[in-house]
Amino acid sequence: MSILVVGSVAYDSVKTPNGNHQNALGGSAIYFAVAASYFVPVSIVGVVGDDFLPEDKAMLEAHYIDTGGLSRVHGDTFRWTGEYGEDFNEAHTIDTQLNVFAGFEPELASSERKSPFLFLANIDPDLQYRVLQQMEERPQLVAGDTMNFWIQAKAETLARAISEFDTLMINQGEVRQLAKENNLVKAARYVLSQGPQMVVIKRGEYGALSFTSNAIFAAPAYPLETIVDPTGAGDSFAGGFMGYLAASRDLTTAGFRRAMIVGSVMASFTVGSFGPDRLSCLSMGEINDRYREFRRLTYFDGSAEAELPSLTCKDRS
Ligand code: AMP
């Protein structure tokens, strides 16, 4: 099964306590597409400028990502400049230059309108909604992301787009802002009351939580000694999550739980380099090894006992 992703394509300049890097390939659609491409064919819809480098297009094509929907427009590619302090969980935007992204109007090709899996990465919620309206068939799974900028600037159209998502994937700070609620359980309940059947809350080094109306699941982040750059970790998580679901076609509770772990696996590689360098040169062996490490990391109880041994009140006194 293939996945269609619509989102930003960028050149990012990022500073972290471990170094800095100028004009690395980035954008929500790029990280998502590369992560998902290890599992299923991916088509990307986005916009780039005259400055989009041939080697970046070649990297996408080496991953068999269909770039037919990547339109090239006269001008510069979107540029984002960000900084992380000691807290790697929060990006501080220093500068955003929309450039050709300002006039982005996604137009899906006829084959893309039938895509069974759709990811609406972080873009203007008006565009997310218009993409949904272009779909000829309701995809088996529609997931989407958003960010603080749209929560502030476009609350109404964002609510309309989110009401059409099956799964909202959002980071911790932003779900609090969206729900106007600090408690994550209550914030998730709020999102579930707005239409989605699932909300996945990305929590950086604390992992990710998924909520449905009757279950909560926690996936840890892989404990790493060095994080070079967390940019793109959330989109890589989403790419691993949806890539696994589309490849396995397993939309059961167990399938979604495995997808949360695969998301964490892919994000754990992204944070190991500036830009998508590390993410883009993985072998399936490395991905499977890390998946197995996650199994070991999270396995804690093979016994059939559902109750813990305890002292009676009498023993305690
Ligand atoms: P994340 O996975 O949340 O770390 O997303 C990182 C990516 O989001 C970066 O590669 C940026 O280029 C991209 N980005 C930053 N600001 C925006 C924006 N306003 N709209 C779309 N994409 C953005």
Side-chain angles (χ1 to χ4, degrees), residues 8 10 12 26-28 31 78 80 84 93 96 98 101 122-123 145 147 149-150 171 202 230-236:
S8 60
D12 293 337
S28 53
Y31 284 106
F78 172 54
W80 178 74
Y84 298 84
T93 295
T96 298
L98 291 176
F101 195 44
N122 173 26
I123 48 169
D145 193 356
M147 72 182 290
F149 182 77
W150 306 117
N171 80 30
K202 298 170 286 181
T231 307
D235 299 307
S236 306

Side-chain angles (χ1 to χ4, degrees), residues 70-88:
L70 208 54
S71 47
R72 187 182 278 266
V73 171
H74 184 54
D76 284 337
T77 300
F78 172 54
R79 276 181 163 66
W80 178 74
T81 305
E83 193 172 345
Y84 298 84
E86 288 305 327
D87 179 4
F88 277 93

Side-chain angles (χ1 to χ4, degrees), residues 167-179:
T167 301
L168 174 67
M169 310 191 79
I170 187 166
N171 80 30
Q172 166 170 283
E174 285 154 357
V175 79
R176 286 180 166 138
Q177 192 183 357
L178 178 72

Side-chain angles (χ1 to χ4, degrees), residues 133-245:
Q133 286 182 314
Q134 289 177 45
M135 298 305 286
E136 275 171 23
E137 290 162 22
R138 171 76 194 180
Q140 286 176 33
L141 187 71
V142 176
D145 193 356
T146 193
M147 72 182 290
N148 47 13
F149 182 77
W150 306 117
I151 297 169
Q152 274 157 17
K154 295 218 168 177
E156 270 177 37
T157 46
L158 178 62
R160 186 177 62 166
I162 288 176
S163 73
E164 297 286 331
F165 296 174
D166 298 307
T167 301
L168 174 67
M169 310 191 79
I170 187 166
N171 80 30
Q172 166 170 283
E174 285 154 357
V175 79
R176 286 180 166 138
Q177 192 183 357
L178 178 72
K180 300 187 181 71
E181 170 60 59
N182 210 38
N183 179 284
L184 290 182
V185 180
K186 288 182 182 164
R189 295 275 165 256
Y190 169 81
V191 174
L192 294 176
S193 74
Q194 302 301 298
Q197 288 109 60
M198 176 179 279
V199 54
V200 175
I201 301 180
K202 298 170 286 181
R203 308 180 64 221
E205 67 180 311
Y206 307 114
L209 293 168
S210 70
F211 295 81
T212 59
S213 59
N214 55 16
I216 303 176
F217 180 68
Y222 189 71
L224 291 163
E225 249 178 74
T226 308
I227 292 171
V228 177
D229 174 14
T231 307
D235 299 307
S236 306
F237 180 98
F241 178 89
M242 275 194 96
Y244 171 77
L245 291 172

Side-chain angles (χ1 to χ4, degrees), residues 102-126:
F104 181 44
E105 186 56 61
E107 184 62 38
L108 304 188
S110 62
S111 59
E112 292 164 348
R113 291 168 194 250
K114 297 188 184 83
S115 188
F117 284 78
L118 172 64
F119 186 64
L120 296 162
N122 173 26
I123 48 169
D124 184 331
D126 277 320

